[in-house]
Amino acid sequence: MLQTDPFAVEGVLRNVGVPVPDAIQECSGIQLYGRCVKSLVFSTDIAIIRNTDADAVLAVYPFTCQPAITQALISSAEMPVLTGVGGAVTTGQRAIDLAVHSDMQGVAGVVVNASTDPATIARMAERVDVPIVVTVTTLDGMAYDQIAAGARIVNVAAAKDTPRVVEDVRRAFPSMPIMASGGKSDESIRATIQAGANAVSWTPPTLQELERRIMDRHRQKNDLTFFAA
């Protein structure tokens, strides 16, 4: 009988400890340098990144982009890395310089946030080869200008309003690749996909949360009174 599903080969100690939700596989994906990206893990934690089965890393953090962090992520991840380079703190020429540096380091995309000046995006697009991803919270005039300036992927991050904003972007830009936050439940992920998202970003539990779960299981296993009833 012909094997249609991929063969699974896992190690005893090294396996997928932080799997992304299965519902994400229902989206169409974004073809990024020959790889189909459906799931992006929203994290800069190398331990999480090394133990997840996400297709790519969305490395956006609330500080100025640091090339040393970018290099560590690229060196550690076994999937494409998209890194934040511009936002409310990092603007103008510095954001452009960081985008160029990140491009040279080997990222698969550079991310700018909703406050980034369209003029900065236009100048950035002249300097980098990797796609510029613009994060939007609503489809307003600023978002239109950012897309026109050279953003090639839209990342929707609008909390509970994400499906609605995704639908607005999809209606206005039928051919634009869209990635979006999917929330914590399969229902919210599917709502984002059905609205038109091609890829979904997922925030994993923290290492502290995972460690707590493991310790709780160990305590229950070693507590004889847990089994007495």
Side-chain angles (χ1 to χ4, degrees), residues 129-149:
D129 182 61
V130 294
I132 298 172
V133 182
V134 62
T135 299
V136 304
T137 58
T138 186
L139 186 61
D140 54 10
M142 179 73 153
Y144 274 97
D145 291 344
Q146 290 168 323
I147 293 170

Side-chain angles (χ1 to χ4, degrees), residues 61-146:
Y61 44 93
F63 314 107
T64 295
C65 173
Q66 296 184 34
I69 294 176
T70 303
Q71 192 59 58
L73 291 169
I74 293 171
S75 299
S76 302
E78 296 180 311
M79 70 279 276
V81 175
L82 292 82
T83 189
V85 296
V89 176
T90 311
T91 61
Q93 188 60 47
R94 184 172 180 86
I96 296 168
D97 291 343
L98 286 168
V100 172
H101 195 124
S102 298
D103 186 0
M104 297 299 181
Q105 286 179 294
V107 299
V110 292
V111 185
V112 296
N113 78 6
S115 66
T116 304
D117 183 9
T120 297
I121 294 176
R123 292 167 56 202
M124 189 181 293
E126 294 175 351
R127 300 284 310 279
V128 300
D129 182 61
V130 294
I132 298 172
V133 182
V134 62
T135 299
V136 304
T137 58
T138 186
L139 186 61
D140 54 10
M142 179 73 153
Y144 274 97
D145 291 344
Q146 290 168 323

Side-chain angles (χ1 to χ4, degrees), residues 13-229:
L13 299 177
R14 181 182 174 185
N15 53 27
V16 178
V18 192
V20 301
D22 290 339
I24 295 180
Q25 294 303 314
E26 297 175 17
C27 62
S28 60
I30 297 172
Q31 198 73 13
L32 193 59
Y33 295 102
R35 301 180 68 157
C36 181
V37 173
K38 295 186 177 184
S39 58
L40 299 100
V41 59
F42 180 33
S43 177
T44 54
D45 192 312
I46 290 174
I48 293 288
I49 291 169
R50 290 286 297 183
N51 287 279
T52 186
D53 58 354
D55 300 319
V57 177
L58 180 60
V60 178
Y61 44 93
F63 314 107
T64 295
C65 173
Q66 296 184 34
I69 294 176
T70 303
Q71 192 59 58
L73 291 169
I74 293 171
S75 299
S76 302
E78 296 180 311
M79 70 279 276
V81 175
L82 292 82
T83 189
V85 296
V89 176
T90 311
T91 61
Q93 188 60 47
R94 184 172 180 86
I96 296 168
D97 291 343
L98 286 168
V100 172
H101 195 124
S102 298
D103 186 0
M104 297 299 181
Q105 286 179 294
V107 299
V110 292
V111 185
V112 296
N113 78 6
S115 66
T116 304
D117 183 9
T120 297
I121 294 176
R123 292 167 56 202
M124 189 181 293
E126 294 175 351
R127 300 284 310 279
V128 300
D129 182 61
V130 294
I132 298 172
V133 182
V134 62
T135 299
V136 304
T137 58
T138 186
L139 186 61
D140 54 10
M142 179 73 153
Y144 274 97
D145 291 344
Q146 290 168 323
I147 293 170
R152 293 166 57 190
I153 300 174
V154 173
N155 174 40
V156 179
K160 63 181 178 60
D161 292 328
T162 293
R164 177 185 60 77
V165 178
V166 168
E167 190 172 358
D168 291 343
V169 175
R170 175 56 66 222
R171 187 183 302 111
F173 300 95
S175 301
M176 175 68 70
I178 300 173
M179 48 189 272
S181 53
K184 295 183 177 181
S185 69
D186 285 349
E187 290 74 16
S188 62
I189 290 171
R190 289 192 173 100
T192 299
I193 295 170
Q194 290 166 5
N198 305 107
V200 173
S201 63
W202 173 69
T203 302
T206 66
L207 281 180
Q208 291 77 13
E209 291 172 326
L210 292 170
E211 185 69 22
R212 190 180 304 114
R213 293 176 193 175
I214 292 172
M215 292 306 297
D216 286 345
R217 286 201 298 269
H218 283 315
R219 291 189 189 98
Q220 291 174 355
K221 182 178 181 180
N222 295 322
D223 183 2
L224 295 180
T225 61
F226 178 78
F227 300 97

